[in-house]
Amino acid sequence: MSLHDISGLYNSKIVLIAAKEEILQDWVAEEECASILQRHEIDQELFIAHYAGNVFDYFMGVVSGQMVIGECPVIADLIEYLKNKDLRADELFTLCTHFKRAVLNSTYRMGINSPEIFTAVSYLFDRNFAGVLKLYTDTIYQKEQEAINASKAKEYFLSNMSHEIRTPLNAILGFVSLLRDETINPRYQKYLDIISNSGENLLHIINDILDFSKLRSGEFAIDPQPFNIHDEISHTMELFVPSANSKSITLTSFIDPSIPYEIIADAVRIKQIVGNFLSNAIKFSHPEGAIHVEARYDRGLLSLSVRDDGIGISSADQQRIFDAFSQAYEGVIRINEGTGLGLSICKQLAQHMGGTIELQSALGEGSLFTLSIPVVVNHECEIAKFDISMFEGIRFGLLEYDPSESYKLESLQRYWDHFGLDVCRIKTVKDECDLLIFLESSIDDETREYIIEQQIPSVAILDFLDDRYDTIETITPLTFPIYCTKLQNALSEVLGINQPSLPTALGINSGYGFSGRILVAEDNHANQELIRIVLERYGLEYVIASNGVEALELYCSQPFDLILMDEQMPYMNGNEATLSILAYEEKNKKPHTPIVALTANVIKGARERSIQNGYDAFLGKPIVLKEIEQIFDRYLSPKPIQKNEQKPKQKSKWPAIDMEHLKSALMLDEEQIDYLLGIYCQKMEHSLRELENAIAEKAYEDIPFIAHSIKGSSANFRFDELSRLAYVIEESALNKDKEFDFDEAYSVLHSEFSKRFMGEEGYYSSK
């Protein structure tokens, strides 16, 4: 259609211009248009004066031949204004359509309507809208790109800044730990405690920022693993006992004994959320208050809740506190210092795990936070949390207590009811029973003396652990929080019952091992030997590669059921070898063999990075038998194995080393540990010489590799000071920290090693 086709509209332009105000009012007053303007908080008068009026003038300019259709600068201004109002494309189309309708309606009112006028108006508006839509699309795309780039820049800054702060902070904490061990002056110890606590708090804030940045950038990964919720939650609660004690807060709990022994979920993130709930509950509870933790399971859904009787949260704050950098207020005063990221991270973690967080609270009445997440249950692993058979026929007497303290015993009563224990309320200590249970805070001195003098077998329920009953053989203290294993241990101890250790579903203690052929990629000789002994104890076949190149060659030429891959190795590191194996599998249509990362980098985020690098699972160093057994249980088939006969105890070659601790931690016998320590000692003598030379030559490229090897080897034997100091040296070298005193650090490292392995005539023989 050419310009002569709109000649009728040109002849009517004077009439239309005269009706401009009426047309504009008709346009914005239309119900849909008015709703759009109101929804996006667009002022009608401003819209008409600065945008709608100019668009009408442009339209008339096209009719007059003074303007070119599709090149409206006014439209560009309008789109720029609307882009920050988050106006959708369909809403923009509605506005343009109703403008056309307002013009057409005016032609009918003024009696100038005709088919030619209708066609001309439609043509001009349709041609113009095509340009408007293109401009809108380009503008919105530009806005989105700007937002994406800004977000990426922010996340990069957060991640990089957090890493840069964490590196020197870990060095500070490492040296503070060494100084605390060497300082006996109480005043200096107090100063070091303050530095350590402040550093740990700062590290916690940095970890929050890193978690937040990973969640926002989409780099976060959930890692479901088999775990025992009873152990994990009880351990988490125990971590907060000192904080609760400092405010005289009673921490009670009920972990439902009917929850399956082993479930599959991300235990680390679950504990992180519950830990945040507990931290907040303690922070916002009044002194001498109470906090209750509860765990329940119902048809695939695990629920964990923390209830406090603290200050509570107003309804206005209850949604806002889950927003990043937001905190609750009391009146106009913010009631908490910190980042305000904790609950925001918890909510996002819960959503990543397919769960939710619910909050019930009222100002002045406390709060209840509940995490609910779907979990997978291992029904083949059925292990009792409490052996009721140990207490059959025993009459328990619960001494009468102050009714105001009944809340302390509610959970305990639920445990008794669940297990069917014979517990009766008694009025005095002279009433007949086999075992007396009393609430320490509800008895007087006279009653306590009578219990001690008469040697009545008793369990004393204490708010806080102290030494008042340490020398009384007939009284066993039981402190909050109370859970199944803690309760059973206390009852068994006072009754003198020998407790059988709880069995495991599989593993070396139960006479079961695993079938499979394992490829081990590990360059450290001491670590190779430790893994070899562990694999042999589980009845597994294995092949050991000393670097990534060997591992790849072995994998391509032989079948394996599982690969244990060290991340840092010479020639080809574990990440590169893993990617090569995955590429080989894809190219040759070969079934996938699970690959487990084996690394000393166990700082927060290492697990997620391993999963993203193609690994199926993650094992940190030091190697923990329970964790490696869970890996075998997940990927390999069980088989019976013959238990080795226990050999008579021999004098250790390493008198400065706690062999009992190592036997318990490594689950190996003393002869095997002696053998491994010999290899470790030889390796360390060589590594320390290498490290000393590298430091002297300022070979910053070699120092991290040597220190990393020392860190991993030392961690396997639970030599924490050696491992931590090696980590500090490694990080300082990686960052080329010229302020760091490598010579002094080496001297302390060598001294720590010598304490364990140096005899009067030099190093103990490692032969």
Side-chain angles (χ1 to χ4, degrees), residues 131-183:
V132 170
L133 189 60
K134 182 181 184 304
L135 185 59
Y136 171 85
T137 303
D138 292 345
T139 303
I140 295 302
Y141 176 76
Q142 181 185 1
K143 176 190 173 185
E144 289 177 349
Q145 287 301 115
E146 289 172 355
I148 290 170
N149 292 336
S151 178
K152 285 181 177 178
K154 181 179 69 176
E155 305 308 338
Y156 175 79
F157 168 76
L158 286 174
S159 178
N160 191 56
M161 177 270 294
S162 300
H163 176 76
E164 292 300 322
I165 296 175
R166 192 211 295 265
T167 299
L169 184 57
N170 273 314
I172 292 169
L173 293 174
F175 279 111
V176 166
S177 177
L178 293 175
L179 286 172
R180 288 168 79 181
D181 292 338
E182 297 177 2
T183 303

Side-chain angles (χ1 to χ4, degrees), residues 295-307:
R296 300 178 302 279
Y297 172 81
D298 182 34
R299 290 174 292 186
L301 194 68
L302 178 68
S303 297
L304 299 157
S305 62
V306 176
R307 184 185 70 234

Side-chain angles (χ1 to χ4, degrees), residues 170-324:
N170 273 314
I172 292 169
L173 293 174
F175 279 111
V176 166
S177 177
L178 293 175
L179 286 172
R180 288 168 79 181
D181 292 338
E182 297 177 2
T183 303
I184 58 174
N185 185 301
R187 186 156 57 103
Y188 294 164
Q189 279 281 359
K190 183 179 178 181
Y191 295 159
L192 291 171
D193 287 343
I194 293 171
I195 295 171
S196 180
N197 291 335
S198 300
E200 293 291 348
N201 289 337
L202 181 56
L203 197 58
H204 178 74
I205 291 171
I206 293 168
N207 288 337
D208 274 354
I209 294 172
L210 275 177
D211 270 348
F212 179 72
S213 116
K214 284 187 288 183
L215 284 163
R216 290 287 294 267
S217 63
E219 296 177 2
F220 190 85
I222 293 298
D223 183 23
Q225 299 277 353
F227 72 101
N228 176 2
I229 190 69
H230 302 269
D231 289 346
E232 298 295 351
I233 296 303
S234 59
H235 293 164
T236 301
M237 289 190 297
E238 292 291 353
L239 292 174
F240 289 89
V241 167
S243 300
N245 289 354
S246 68
K247 294 180 70 173
S248 299
I249 293 170
T250 302
L251 181 56
T252 63
S253 66
F254 182 75
I255 305 174
D256 190 347
S258 63
I259 298 177
Y261 184 83
E262 186 173 273
I263 61 178
I264 299 172
D266 194 328
V268 173
R269 299 307 174 184
I270 290 173
K271 290 189 293 182
Q272 182 179 349
I273 294 172
V274 173
N276 184 273
F277 290 171
L278 278 168
S279 177
N280 287 338
I282 293 170
K283 196 179 299 178
F284 298 128
S285 287
H286 304 294
E288 300 183 357
I291 294 172
H292 180 70
V293 179
E294 185 141 345
R296 300 178 302 279
Y297 172 81
D298 182 34
R299 290 174 292 186
L301 194 68
L302 178 68
S303 297
L304 299 157
S305 62
V306 176
R307 184 185 70 234
D308 66 71
D309 57 4
I311 62 176
I313 303 168
S314 69
S315 55
D317 280 333
Q318 287 184 27
Q319 288 300 320
R320 193 170 59 80
I321 60 170
F322 289 101
D323 296 335

Side-chain angles (χ1 to χ4, degrees), residues 167 691 694-695 698-708 726-738 740 742:
T167 299
L691 183 61
I695 290 173
K698 293 184 171 53
Y700 291 115
E701 293 181 358
D702 297 333
I703 293 173
F705 191 81
I706 302 168
H708 182 85
Y727 169 75
V728 172
I729 294 172
E730 177 189 8
E731 287 293 306
S732 301
L734 285 171
N735 293 303
K736 295 183 172 59
D737 186 353
K738 296 182 179 179
F740 184 77
F742 286 95

